[in-house]
Amino acid sequence: MKLGIHFINFPLPGEPETLAPTLASSARIADEAGCDVFTLMDHWFQMEHFATSYDPMMEGYTSLGFLAGQTRRVRLGLLVTGVTYRRPGLLAKTVTTLDVLSSGRVQLGIGAAWYEREHKALGVPFPPIAERFERLEETLQICRQMWSDDDGPFDGTHYQLAETICRPRPIQRPRPPILVGGSGERKTLRLVAKYADACNLIAADPDVVAHKLNVLAEHCRTEGRDPAEIQRTILARGASDPVGAPDDFLASMEGYARLGIDLVEVVPIGPDPAGWVSDVCEKILPRLAEIGS
């Protein structure tokens, strides 16, 4: 089983001056230790169920560009890009640029967006959820077209592109991997089955995750796709503390591995996220790699 770091902890002592060195140090530790992926959120305001909207939040793709120059091997991405935040053609260009500058280490994580307050606050349209999912599907189609040999137009319900030129091409072939985040059974997991290379589920309960994976498999059958083609990942929530109770954490991961999960992302907490990442890499990374092998 692989390990990822999902960094959301920007309310740090001494910020804003401490934000860049702390983020860089955390990513370098994960990179050098052998973590598979390092992700950030895609928000303009800090999430209110983590801190407050007045606490610091860094823009996602700018931060990933910074981290591309701080790391050498770890994959980089947002968990996940909000579809409402960027026009899809520009999003594909942004991800392509990051892929080139990171020597082929970017993944496009994307979802339907949900944080209404930050949209209203900064004047960004926040359409109803049905429309957001329509826009998500068109964005997936546009990104895949821009990363293909088809430079022609795209004529959708919500987006119209006269040309889909994307030069330079991404380094990764045939394109950067796509992860669709979320667990909605009717829409989100259908989009995973149709367009994505990976899913990400909240690991609140193994039985819930097992059910979601069964739903995903049904969508794959409808789409004529082998479910094994899709990487199954989780974000640890409700699991034991990987630093304070590593044995309990690893025991819970064994249950998820039996479901076919092959990557878990954990969230650094506390005033010293770089130290936390160092501890989690030392205490669980080697043992986690043995699970499911």
Side-chain angles (χ1 to χ4, degrees), residues 1 40 53 65-66 73 99 109 173 184 193 196 218-219 235 243 270-271:
M1 201 171 188
L40 305 173
S53 59
F66 169 70
R73 55 157 302 280
D99 194 62
R173 293 290 185 269
E218 288 295 327
H219 284 302
L235 179 63
V243 172

Side-chain angles (χ1 to χ4, degrees), residues 72-106:
R72 293 294 176 265
R73 55 157 302 280
V74 72
R75 286 188 298 136
L76 302 169
L78 298 185
L79 196 64
V80 289
T81 306
V83 72
T84 51
Y85 298 160
R86 299 165 189 85
R87 303 293 291 186
L90 298 180
L91 173 62
K93 185 67 177 178
T94 298
V95 174
T96 299
T97 300
L98 182 59
D99 194 62
V100 171
L101 295 181
S102 67
S103 300
R105 294 187 287 122
V106 67

Side-chain angles (χ1 to χ4, degrees), residues 80 110-113 129-130 132-134 136-137 140 178-202 212 215-217 219-220 223 225 230:
V80 289
I110 192 165
I129 189 168
R132 298 203 306 275
F133 273 100
E134 292 171 1
L136 175 57
E137 183 159 16
L140 289 164
I178 296 171
L179 179 152
V180 174
S183 59
E185 296 180 13
R186 189 166 63 90
K187 295 183 178 181
T188 303
L189 294 178
R190 179 186 68 82
L191 294 177
V192 172
K194 190 169 184 177
Y195 299 104
D197 306 292
C199 66
N200 183 263
L201 304 171
I202 300 297
K212 300 296 183 180
V215 172
L216 175 59
H219 284 302
C220 285
E223 296 294 334
R225 190 171 180 197
I230 298 171

Side-chain angles (χ1 to χ4, degrees), residues 10 17-18 22 30 35 65 90 106 113 117 141 154 163 187 209 214 224 228 235 237 253 256 265 276 279-280 283 292:
F10 293 107
E17 289 81 4
T18 56
T22 301
C35 290
L90 298 180
V106 67
R117 178 178 177 177
Q141 294 168 349
F154 178 89
E163 299 177 273
K187 295 183 178 181
V209 171
N214 287 334
L235 179 63
R237 180 181 295 177
M253 290 305 107
Y256 287 110
E265 291 210 47
W276 192 95
D279 285 345
V280 82
K283 292 182 177 181

Side-chain angles (χ1 to χ4, degrees), residues 9 12 46 77 120 150 155 256 283 287:
N9 188 11
L12 296 171
Q46 179 59 260
K120 288 185 174 180
D150 182 359
D155 187 18
Y256 287 110
K283 292 182 177 181
R287 297 171 63 189

Side-chain angles (χ1 to χ4, degrees), residues 110-123:
I110 192 165
W114 59 270
Y115 199 170
E116 184 175 11
R117 178 178 177 177
E118 63 186 358
H119 287 75
K120 288 185 174 180
L122 300 185

